[in-house]
Structures are given as structure tokens and as C-alpha cells.
Amino acid sequence: MGVKRKKSETEELVEEGKSNDKNIESSYKKKREILPSMIKNKEKRSIVHAKMKQEKKLEKRKKLKARDANEKRALELGEEPPPRAIPRTIENTRELDETVCRPDDEELFAGNDADEFSSVLKQERTPKILMTTCRYNSTRGPAFIKELQAVIPNAHYFKRGTYDLKKIVDYANKKDFTSIIVVHTNRREPDALLMIGLPNGPTAHFKLSKLVLRKEIKNHGNPTGHKPELVLNNFTTRLGHRIGRLIQSLFPQDPEFRGRRVATFHNQRDFIFFRHHRYIFESKESKGSDSKVKKVKDAKGDKISQERVIARLQECGPRFTLKLISLQHGTFDTKGGEFEWVHKPEMDTSRRRFFL
Amino acid sequence: MPRTTTVECPGCPPLRAITFDSLGLIKVVEARGERGGVPSVVERWGDPDASKCVLAASIDDSKHDPLLVVARKNGLIEIINSLNGDLHVSIPNVGDAGAQLEDDGIVGLHLFKRQRQESLSRSCTLLTCSTKGNASMRSIEVSNPAESTSVDSIKSWNVCSSGTVLCSKVDGNEKYALFGGKGVEVNVWDLEMCTKIWTAKAPPKNSLGIFTPTWFTSATFLSTDDHRKFVAGTNSHQVRLYDTSAQRRPVMSFDFRETPIKAIAEEPEGYNIYIGNGSGDLASVDIRTGKLLGCFLGKCSGSIRSIARHPTLPVIASCGLDSYLRFWDIKTRQLLSAVFMKQHLLEVVFDSNFDDKVAHAAADVVLVQEPQNMDEIQGDETETEPVKRKKTPKVKDECKKRASKENEESKKMKSKKKSKRVKAESDD
């Protein structure tokens, strides 16, 4: 420590020797541009930080108010309100990707017809899923499996025992299963998901995180036994398209809309978010300030019914996030497998580059 | 450090490559321009049809009437003009037994280079090998597809009694062929006599007494005029060098990464080999010592199915399941450019005669005085090519150009390296 201090002291001396006038100037500048992260005293730093944050907040509020006022005035004057600025997000500014599927690509559709899932998706085979776990499995694992079984119809849980996964694949092929799902747990927490298409479909390996079971969700609902509807969002590239089709082939292709049950796989920045909801359409009497506006309208035109239909959601769980690690050609084979896609660190050239 | 670097691709020297994909499409990729041409898909032959998935392909890129042979999943072998994609002959792959299509696809296909007399008589010779080990050599009269094609002679034999053949290769002088596969030790055949002249022996058990089953996935002869040395890659990520004159066990073997070796290509004048594996790693290795010279880095994420070495330029092409065709510089191991081809690619070959065409095109440009109208040139070039095959007087010029260009490139590389170094220092 002593040595260090000495050094800094000498540096200061040198600086002082160099230019006295400049020093004053620079110190003045420093005071103006000081960042909280440069302050070493924690108490002081937190105070400064809080102050800055508050200032920023106020500024933002002011800005919003000004914008709203502008818009209101424009409306009153009967002008077009100024267009709202679109915020720049990472997804907005995504790097140009030539593998994004285009709707006019005939090769894509020919490829779709020929791929491994087409027989399931054309309803020639009904999806039948084998679910199993890793060898050691307890608490959260089985609970998750149970809930996943509630989500995916026609899913059968088999105890893993000490069977090799390759043997399980053989068995499932013999018994006419269309997919296998393996939930891998680590320290009693599910952390990976393996989806295998059968008989020769690809194998997708996902990292599983942020698992919330039904019980832990507040005001959760209990799903019925109907076949769910499926929502696949944002699977844009060729790889994403393939993953989407893999997921699609897990579910029956004829949802029962009576059940009003939706399973959603939403892709955002290569993370696939899963949510499971029940929904209901409710017609509600409109009231409050809205009704006033409507009344004015009513006076003008015919009597529009004051009911409006809203959709209400209730989450049924589980809730989890997937991230693709690898997509393997053919069924599970760690030693001799060929990969269609593996994530490699050299591919992360930019945070605006996405693969799905 | 923010990850915001964009990898710029310097572009390719003028070249022409042909790729084959899982929907049976044949796509021609061309790079034009003197320096740094960006390759793009120029032509597409065939309609997308999954049953016509290409299993193997081979090219005979002679100056006169180059031909392309494609084996398809539905059991057809097609002979195609590699300049314009005209189908010459389409023959069913039927050997001794009648129905052997579905479970016995072709894995090895080789089109023999034709002698002058042969090319006058317009016949060509093929070697095919199926997964069950039925190898056959046939010579075919090439004529219009409308007329009946005559298969002159079929010499067929069985390479192995059990197991599946996964790779086959013919040496540079086209007198010997090697076959290997799952449960099939590599064996070398004399093609004139149709006799097996050599079989490999499995390596001994390791120190734990564990025997790795035979499973060859790729193989290649080391040099064009020596049929005695060859390299084979196995499913257990091992690369083995065999010398038939020395011993039956591998002379040398080393491991490469952790997924099966799926493609091997040799450097014709040298000691390097290029190996590609199931997780998309491509590397060059000095085969004299077995030392890894370096990897080809470039976001290659899918299994590499085929590597092709350009006959004249220092360029290799690789393609595979990530549906990108990539061109690499051999010396710097830098990615020159990548072309997205939409399907899983299974095979890539180079057309070495493309330089001449560029010279032609350049001459055309000079004559017509329309240097910007690339499309038109391209168009009339493709139309008139089969007819117009004169000897080019511009060969010398071109050589010079190429030399100068290479110089330029090397200079570029140097400067780049320097700048990189500077960057690294500044980072530190």
C-alpha cells in the first residue's frame, strides 16, 4: 500500500509541476463529469447515484408530459398528432440474417414436405410422446413431469431406471411413439430438456431455466383435459423454423377450442419462453370515462351496445424458459452424432445476432 | 468487451463450384471479378423433390465436354453436362439383384477421366459402390436422353460380405480404389483385375483392453501418383494414416476433437490434409507429423459433409448440414466467403475450367465496351458456352494477373495481420 501511495504522490507532484493552470481547469471539468462509479466511498456513491436516478426520472416524466400535451393540442386543433418514436431495441436492430424464411420460397415448402415431422403435422400419425428423466430424479423433477404431462396430450411417463437412452429410443420406435422428451435434473432442479423426434427425426438439446411450477404461480388455474391450442411466436430463421416444427409435432394438430387452453412458445432473442394459459371471452358493461365518450358517439349514431368483449387470461403453469444448445441430425447419439447446429463461442460476434 | 465485430469476408478469386443438396437440387455457385468477387448462386438445376436426394457425385472436368455424375436416392444415376445442366443419360442402379433401391443407396461414385479416343467415342466409365458393398464398373455411351442408352459392360464384384460401406475413393491414376465403412476394414482393390490387393488390420486393444469397433467414415489417397498411402477417418474421431507397402496396421493415428470425422480432403502437392467433423470443425493437419496446423474458424455450426480442394487456386470449399457453402484460403485459413444454399448440402465439387471462361468474358467485355452489364455477359456466356470452346490466347496474361493478384492478397494479409497485432496490443 505504502508503495502505491508513494507512486500516486509522485505522479501528482509531476502533474502539478507540469501545469498549474490546466490543473484547475481539469479539476473543474472533473467535478462536472463525475460519475457515481468513480466515487470510492460507498455511502457517498449511493447518495449520488440515487440523486441522479431521481433527476433522470423527473426528466423523463417531464418529457412524457410534454409529449402528451403536444398530442392533445394537436388533436384539439384537428391536426395529425406527431408520430410516436419507436424505441430502438435489440430485436429491432437485429443483424441482417439471410437464413430468415421467406413466404415465397418454394424450396422451403418442398423441404417442409420432405422433413421428418411432415407425417405428424399432416395428421397421418397421431403424436404419442414418451417422457422420461435422467437416472436420478427427485422432488422438482417428477412434479415438472406431471405438469408437462398435463400440457402435452398423449404423453406417457416411463421410469428411466438404468436404461441407455439409445435403448429407450429403440423401444419407443417399436411402440410407435413419435417423440421422446427427456428431462434432465441437476441438484433436484430440472435444467435441461431433450426432444427427440422419432423414428429418424432430429434431437434438440435445450437448456431449461426459470422453472416455475403451477403451485408457485399466484391465482393459477387448473387445466382441463382438452387438446390445447398452440402458439409459436417468432421462429423466423431456417433453424428456428425447424425447431418450431419439432415443437409443433409434440402437440395434436386438431385443438379443441371448447377447452380454451393455450400453450405458448414465444421466442425472443433466442430464448424460448413457455407459458400455459386458460382464456375466457367476457362481455363487460363498459363504464367510467370510456362510457362517456361512447355516449357521445351513441348520440351521434345508432345505439351501439355498451358491451365490449375482453379476453381474460389465467395462467396454468408450468412456466419455463428454453435455450437451444444443439440440434443433432438423427436420433440421440453422443459419440457418432452429426450436428445440424451447435452453438460455438466464435458465433457470438454481436449481441444483435440471433439464430432462431 | 462489447461483441460488435463484424467478420468481413474478403471475397473469392474467380471460381465455379457445384453443390448437391438433400432435395436433389444441383446449384452452381460462381464468383466473378478480378479481386474479391462475391460468389452467388447462378443456376439451379432440377426441381425440389425429396426422393431425388443426392447421395454421391463426381465430376470429370476435362477441357472438352466436362461431365458430372450424380447418384440419387431413388436409384437413378444421372450423367449431366456440367456446363449447362443438360441431362445426358439416366440409368437405374440395378446390379445382379433386381430390387435393391431403398435400403442399398450408393455411397461411392467415381467418373473416370476420359482418354482422348474415348471422349471422341463419347463413352464414359463409372465406378459405383453401394452401402452393402456391391461395387460395379460400367462404361456408358453418352448420347441424347431421347435415344436408348447402352451400357457396354458391367464388371461387378462384392467388396465386403457384411457391414455397410460408407466411403470409397479412387486414386489419382485411377487404377486402385479403396473402400471402408461400418464393420468394414479399409481395403484396396485393383480396378483392372478386380482383385483385392490389401486389407487393413484393426488396431490392437488399448491399455484397458477395450476394442473399438471398426467404423470408417471417410478416406482419401494422399497424393495423386502414389496409391500406397492413404488417410482414413473413423467414427471414433480418429484419423489414421495407412501405408500399404509398410504394414497392415496404421502407420500413424491421432485424435481430432470429439465428433466423428466426416470428410477428409488431401492437398495434391503437399503433405497437408483437411479434416472436417460432425460438429462443424474444419482443420488442416500436417500428415508427416500428425500435427494440427490450425483450424478454419468461421461460425461453421453444422456437420461438414464434403470438402473440395480447388485444383489450381489455394482455395478449399466445405459444405454440410448447416446449408452454407464456405470458401477458405488455405494459407491464412481465413474464410473467404459463405453462401447460404437453403438445404442440407451433401457434396461440393469444383469446376476447374472456369478461369478460361472468365478470360472469355473479359475479352467480351473489351469488345463490347460494356463493363457494367454483367448479367448480359453471363447470359450469353451460358448460352454459347458448349459451342464456343476455342483455345484462349490469353492464358499468359491471365497467369500474370493471377500472380499479381496473389501478391496483392498476400500483402493484404500481411497488413491485416499487422493491424490485428496492433489491436491486440492496444487491448492489452
Side-chain angles (χ1 to χ4, degrees):
Chain A
M1 277 303 283
V3 181
K4 248 190 182 173
R5 196 180 286 166
K6 256 184 197 170
K7 246 190 183 173
S8 63
E9 270 174 15
T10 50
E11 270 176 23
E12 271 178 25
L13 281 176
V14 171
E15 267 184 72
E16 273 178 49
K18 265 184 185 173
S19 56
N20 267 330
D21 300 0
K22 265 191 183 175
N23 220 5
I24 295 163
E25 259 185 35
S26 66
S27 69
Y28 180 66
K29 260 190 183 173
K30 253 184 201 168
K31 249 184 196 170
R32 293 208 67 188
E33 287 178 3
I34 214 153
L35 292 172
S37 59
M38 285 151 66
I39 300 167
K40 281 183 181 163
N41 184 332
K42 186 171 180 184
E43 208 170 337
K44 182 77 184 164
R45 185 171 68 226
S46 58
I47 290 169
V48 172
H49 182 255
K51 209 174 168 188
M52 266 179 80
K53 218 174 168 185
Q54 176 71 10
E55 271 173 22
K56 253 187 189 170
K57 199 175 152 191
L58 288 178
E59 213 169 282
K60 200 174 175 185
R61 203 175 278 170
K62 225 185 248 172
K63 240 183 178 174
L64 282 182
K65 241 180 192 173
R67 192 193 65 188
D68 285 346
N70 259 344
E71 261 179 18
K72 214 175 178 184
R73 206 174 54 207
L75 273 179
E76 275 174 5
L77 291 173
E79 290 168 7
E80 278 278 299
R84 287 211 169 170
I86 300 162
R88 268 208 327 196
T89 59
I90 289 185
E91 291 101 316
N92 267 351
T93 52
R94 175 180 184 165
E95 260 180 29
L96 191 71
D97 194 345
E98 54 194 346
T99 68
V100 169
C101 296
R102 292 198 188 80
D104 57 338
D105 190 356
E106 54 151 346
E107 286 176 35
L108 171 67
F109 295 108
N112 277 353
D113 287 339
D115 74 357
E116 297 94 334
F117 321 112
S118 65
S119 66
V120 174
L121 298 191
K122 282 177 187 163
Q123 303 191 21
E124 286 159 11
R125 294 164 71 199
T126 46
K128 186 178 171 193
I129 286 98
L130 190 151
M131 268 190 198
T132 187
T133 58
C134 58
R135 288 192 178 173
Y136 303 103
N137 188 29
S138 69
T139 52
R140 296 260 286 179
F144 177 54
I145 291 260
K146 215 173 190 180
E147 297 197 356
L148 214 55
Q149 257 182 308
V151 174
I152 305 172
N154 206 5
H156 308 269
Y157 171 64
F158 284 72
K159 273 187 188 165
R160 172 70 183 263
T162 52
Y163 290 108
D164 289 342
L165 208 47
K166 279 190 180 175
K167 287 204 174 135
I168 293 176
V169 169
D170 283 344
Y171 171 81
N173 262 333
K174 248 185 250 162
K175 295 274 175 182
D176 269 346
F177 282 94
T178 58
S179 328
I180 297 178
I181 294 179
V182 183
V183 178
H184 193 272
T185 52
N186 183 21
R187 297 179 177 186
R188 294 177 292 283
E189 180 70 28
D191 73 336
L193 201 67
L194 207 63
M195 288 182 192
I196 308 174
L198 294 177
N200 38 24
T203 305
H205 184 197
F206 294 99
K207 183 179 86 178
L208 192 149
S209 55
K210 298 264 163 67
L211 173 68
V212 180
L213 295 177
R214 186 183 307 154
K215 221 176 165 186
E216 295 148 20
I217 297 173
K218 246 185 182 177
N219 297 327
H220 67 84
N222 289 318
T224 52
H226 295 89
K227 292 176 188 170
E229 299 159 42
L230 183 65
V231 178
L232 294 169
N233 273 346
N234 275 345
F235 291 93
T236 51
T237 63
R238 277 304 178 99
L239 179 70
H241 191 77
R242 218 167 143 67
I243 294 295
R245 280 175 75 85
L246 175 70
I247 293 170
Q248 197 185 346
S249 70
L250 296 177
F251 289 85
Q253 303 306 306
D254 46 344
E256 287 170 332
F257 294 103
R258 268 178 63 95
R260 303 194 313 272
R261 221 180 126 192
V262 193
T264 312
F265 288 86
H266 175 85
N267 170 34
Q268 192 168 359
R269 302 186 193 173
D270 282 354
F271 288 93
I272 302 168
F273 299 94
F274 174 82
R275 297 288 182 274
H276 184 205
H277 292 286
R278 280 168 47 175
Y279 65 89
I280 192 159
F281 292 118
E282 270 188 357
S283 47
K284 252 195 174 176
E285 294 276 328
S286 50
K287 56 191 172 183
S289 59
D290 274 13
S291 64
K292 270 182 196 168
V293 178
K294 271 203 173 171
K295 265 177 192 168
V296 175
K297 271 184 190 172
D298 283 1
K300 274 180 190 171
D302 300 336
K303 243 197 174 179
I304 302 168
S305 62
Q306 286 190 6
E307 289 180 352
R308 35 174 209 163
V309 177
I310 55 162
R312 289 204 307 135
L313 286 179
Q314 184 182 32
E315 191 166 350
C316 304
R319 183 196 288 176
F320 57 88
T321 307
L322 298 174
K323 185 156 200 276
L324 186 65
I325 296 173
S326 70
L327 180 66
Q328 200 178 32
H329 190 70
T331 52
F332 182 80
D333 189 351
T334 42
K335 267 194 107 179
E338 267 185 292
F339 290 95
E340 282 177 36
W341 187 85
V342 223
H343 186 264
K344 287 182 185 172
E346 74 208 42
M347 295 193 289
D348 295 327
T349 48
S350 157
R351 49 201 287 236
R352 298 176 197 283
R353 192 174 126 97
F354 304 114
F355 301 101
L356 289 183
Chain B
M1 198 185 102
R3 297 199 211 114
T4 48
T5 49
T6 48
V7 181
E8 85 270 18
C9 297
C12 296
L15 50 80
R16 178 181 156 106
I18 304 172
T19 63
F20 308 89
D21 65 26
S22 59
L23 282 184
L25 301 173
I26 303 173
K27 289 179 182 171
V28 183
V29 175
E30 285 183 8
R32 289 157 182 283
E34 276 310 299
R35 65 179 88 81
V38 179
S40 57
V41 180
V42 183
E43 281 176 271
R44 200 190 86 179
W45 302 331
D47 293 317
D49 180 4
S51 70
K52 288 169 100 182
C53 171
V54 176
L55 297 173
S58 172
I59 191 170
D60 172 21
D61 50 352
S62 57
K63 291 270 179 214
H64 177 76
D65 193 20
L67 288 180
L68 200 67
V69 182
V70 179
R72 297 191 186 271
K73 204 178 182 182
N74 55 6
L76 287 178
I77 300 173
E78 292 178 354
I79 300 177
I80 292 169
N81 186 336
S82 72
L83 290 175
N84 50 19
D86 286 345
L87 182 70
H88 281 308
V89 187
S90 164
I91 48 168
N93 169 37
V94 180
D96 326 317
Q100 44 156 300
L101 301 178
E102 287 308 308
D103 52 338
D104 199 14
I106 285 177
V107 283
L109 187 64
H110 184 82
L111 180 62
F112 287 88
K113 290 193 175 62
R114 287 158 294 168
Q115 312 302 323
R116 180 134 296 185
Q117 316 90 295
E118 255 187 327
S119 66
L120 284 176
S121 70
R122 291 179 69 76
S123 76
C124 58
T125 316
L126 284 179
L127 172 72
T128 61
C129 180
S130 66
T131 49
K132 284 190 178 158
N134 299 317
S136 65
M137 235 173 43
R138 50 188 110 186
S139 60
I140 295 158
E141 203 74 34
V142 177
S143 52
N144 292 326
E147 297 169 27
S148 61
T149 58
S150 59
V151 178
D152 284 353
S153 56
I154 293 187
K155 268 196 282 185
S156 67
W157 67 95
N158 213 334
V159 173
C160 58
S161 50
S162 64
T164 53
V165 176
L166 291 175
C167 56
S168 84
K169 199 87 184 180
V170 175
D171 79 322
N173 294 331
E174 307 189 316
K175 283 181 182 156
Y176 302 94
L178 68 83
F179 303 96
K182 186 180 180 184
V184 183
E185 285 289 347
V186 179
N187 43 32
V188 180
W189 287 70
D190 189 332
L191 290 179
E192 283 169 4
M193 313 289 290
C194 286
T195 48
K196 191 193 278 188
I197 56 171
W198 188 82
T199 322
K201 208 171 167 185
K205 290 171 183 171
N206 66 3
S207 58
L208 299 174
I210 296 168
F211 172 74
T212 42
T214 319
W215 193 338
F216 288 97
T217 47
S218 56
T220 183
F221 283 99
L222 250 195
S223 61
T224 46
D225 38 60
D226 187 11
H227 72 275
R228 283 169 299 188
K229 282 184 180 175
F230 58 85
V231 188
T234 68
N235 195 52
S236 49
H237 55 266
Q238 216 171 40
V239 182
R240 295 177 187 162
L241 172 68
Y242 285 97
D243 190 346
T244 55
S245 57
Q247 62 187 37
R248 287 178 60 197
R249 287 204 162 126
V251 180
M252 185 179 56
S253 68
F254 56 90
D255 285 351
F256 176 67
R257 301 278 165 103
E258 277 161 2
T259 42
I261 311 291
K262 283 290 174 184
I264 289 188
E266 81 287 0
E267 176 84 42
E269 315 290 333
Y271 304 98
N272 297 354
I273 57 163
Y274 307 101
I275 47 185
N277 75 359
S279 59
D281 301 312
L282 183 64
S284 81
V285 172
D286 190 336
I287 199 62
R288 286 172 297 183
T289 57
K291 250 185 192 163
L292 187 71
L293 293 175
C295 281
F296 293 81
L297 293 177
K299 302 178 190 170
C300 191
S301 56
S303 165
I304 291 171
R305 281 289 180 91
S306 166
I307 305 171
R309 166 80 166 84
H310 197 280
T312 50
L313 298 169
V315 171
I316 58 170
S318 75
C319 69
L321 295 185
D322 64 344
S323 55
Y324 268 101
L325 173 67
R326 289 184 166 84
F327 296 103
W328 312 85
D329 193 301
I330 289 174
K331 286 169 196 152
T332 58
R333 288 189 291 275
Q334 200 191 12
L335 181 68
L336 291 177
S337 65
V339 193
F340 180 57
M341 308 291 277
K342 296 183 182 175
Q343 259 72 42
H344 293 168
L345 298 177
L346 301 173
E347 192 88 38
V348 58
V349 293
F350 272 118
D351 184 357
S352 61
N353 297 326
F354 184 61
D355 289 349
D356 306 3
K357 290 169 213 161
V358 168
H360 272 300
D364 285 0
V365 169
V366 171
L367 284 177
V368 187
Q369 291 289 330
E370 278 179 344
Q372 286 157 350
N373 206 343
M374 269 310 266
D375 288 354
E376 204 181 294
I377 294 159
Q378 212 170 297
D380 65 33
E381 188 190 68
T382 46
E383 276 167 21
T384 54
E385 237 151 21
V387 189
K388 188 178 67 179
R389 293 228 128 242
K390 301 166 211 159
K391 273 170 196 162
T392 50
K394 283 211 160 187
V395 175
K396 253 189 188 174
D397 277 12
E398 203 202 312
C399 284
K400 266 185 201 168
K401 267 180 207 165
R402 199 185 297 154
S404 65
K405 194 180 61 201
E406 273 181 15
N407 274 342
E408 270 178 30
E409 265 184 15
S410 59
K411 270 180 202 168
K412 259 190 206 166
M413 293 305 150
K414 271 179 194 168
S415 65
K416 239 173 222 167
K417 268 186 188 167
K418 260 183 202 167
S419 65
K420 257 187 197 169
R421 209 177 295 146
V422 170
K423 250 189 200 170
E425 278 169 11
S426 66
D427 278 357
D428 291 340

